[in-house]
């Protein structure tokens, strides 16, 4: 059961990360006068984190024993 609980936590983390990235994109669209370079950099970090979380989810699903 521990593995399934951990996967659930990781999926929620992944979703939250993607949601934050979407909020950053929305801020850039709604407030085009803001310095977008900072937001682009922040968004790139969230995209990278999302990929890392996704890869870790796949690792846990395929390699962790219950």
């Amino acid at each position: 059961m521990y593995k399934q609980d951990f996967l659930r936590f990781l999926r929620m983390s992944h979703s939250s990360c993607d949601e934050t990235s979407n909020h950053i994109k929305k801020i850039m669209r709604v407030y085009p006068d803001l310095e977008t370079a900072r937001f682009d950099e922040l968004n790139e970090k969230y995209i990278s984190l999302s990929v890392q979380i996704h890869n870790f989810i796949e690792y846990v699903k395929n390699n962790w024993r219950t």
Side-chain angles (χ1 to χ4, degrees), residues 17-33:
C17 186
D18 288 346
E19 184 179 10
T20 301
S21 178
N22 285 330
H23 288 309
I24 292 169
K25 290 174 191 173
K26 187 184 295 184
I27 288 169
M28 290 189 302
R29 282 193 310 268
V30 173
Y31 301 103
D33 296 337

Side-chain angles (χ1 to χ4, degrees), residues 3-39:
K3 179 179 176 179
Q4 292 307 314
D5 290 339
F6 188 48
L7 283 169
R8 183 174 178 266
F9 167 77
L10 291 173
R11 287 185 194 110
M12 287 189 294
S13 299
H14 186 248
S15 297
S16 294
C17 186
D18 288 346
E19 184 179 10
T20 301
S21 178
N22 285 330
H23 288 309
I24 292 169
K25 290 174 191 173
K26 187 184 295 184
I27 288 169
M28 290 189 302
R29 282 193 310 268
V30 173
Y31 301 103
D33 296 337
L34 292 177
E35 184 184 338
T36 58
R38 238 172 102 194
F39 286 103

